[in-house]
Amino acid sequence: KNNVGGSSHVSPAAASIGQPEAAFLAHSRAVNRLAWHPTGRRPYLLLTGGQDGTVKLWDRRATSSALNRGTGTTTPNVVAPVVQSAFNLSAKSGLGLGALFGFGGASTVRNAQLPVANAIARTAIWHCVSTFQPKCEAVRDIKWNPYLDDVFAMVAGEWLCVYDIRLNKPMIKESTHAGDATSVDWHPTQKYTIATGGGRDRSVK
């Protein structure tokens, strides 16, 4: 499960415990879309697309504990500020931290502070492997290619962009619709065919 929409934070939740597995600042504006790698070959890769016009690639294997041993990541440690902000907000609103973070019940701050603080302290910060900046408007949708492990497509504004995660520039950047395209998907059997939709032209291309 992933918490997304209206927030710049990503909190993948471990279903077995009902608490975030990781909590980190993913984008400078709201996160619009998440996409886990669809094959069993790379289940640890996650793409996030944001209102800030960027797509980021995250590696679930690289946690805060591993990064602190000197793996050279540039990802900032944001867990502490996130937790502190949540405590401040919960104190003002009278809601429990469980309600604010999207797990557990709406318990009071007094009852929720200690166990939730301990739970958040155990969460990880994942490593941002790459940031893709197509120089477009907000990213509305992302899809991995189900056949080519390194390839994904995204729509931002009127643009369709196709990336290979090993490269810094889009392999394809095409104006596809009049107005914002809001959805993109790959053909289920033809690995080089993409469909886009959602523009003011009311068409799928």
Side-chain angles (χ1 to χ4, degrees), residues 71-199:
T71 59
T73 180
T74 58
T75 304
N77 188 338
V78 298
V79 167
V82 171
V83 174
Q84 184 60 54
S85 298
F87 271 110
N88 294 340
L89 180 58
S90 66
K92 291 179 181 179
S93 64
L95 293 174
L97 287 178
L100 292 175
F101 277 99
F103 57 87
S107 56
T108 63
V109 175
R110 180 178 179 181
N111 293 332
Q113 276 183 344
L114 182 58
V116 174
N118 291 337
I120 294 299
R122 291 193 295 268
T123 60
I125 304 174
W126 294 354
H127 173 44
C128 180
V129 179
S130 301
T131 299
F132 305 96
Q133 298 177 305
K135 297 181 180 179
C136 301
E137 299 178 19
V139 176
R140 300 296 182 185
D141 200 9
I142 318 167
K143 286 292 190 306
W144 287 99
N145 187 303
Y147 296 98
L148 304 174
D149 285 351
D150 296 312
V151 176
F152 72 90
M154 55 169 282
V155 286
E158 65 186 79
W159 299 94
L160 164 68
C161 299
V162 178
Y163 276 90
D164 185 313
I165 62 174
R166 299 166 294 184
L167 306 174
N168 292 326
K169 295 182 180 180
M171 299 187 298
I172 298 172
K173 184 176 180 180
E174 296 285 345
S175 177
T176 56
H177 292 273
D180 291 350
T182 57
S183 59
V184 62
D185 207 354
W186 294 89
H187 195 281
T189 60
Q190 300 176 19
K191 61 184 176 181
Y192 298 114
T193 302
I194 308 173
T196 61

Side-chain angles (χ1 to χ4, degrees), residues 2-25:
N2 304 284
N3 297 328
V4 63
S7 173
S8 59
H9 296 85
V10 173
S11 301
S16 60
I17 61 175
Q19 296 173 349
E21 175 184 319
F24 47 91
L25 183 65

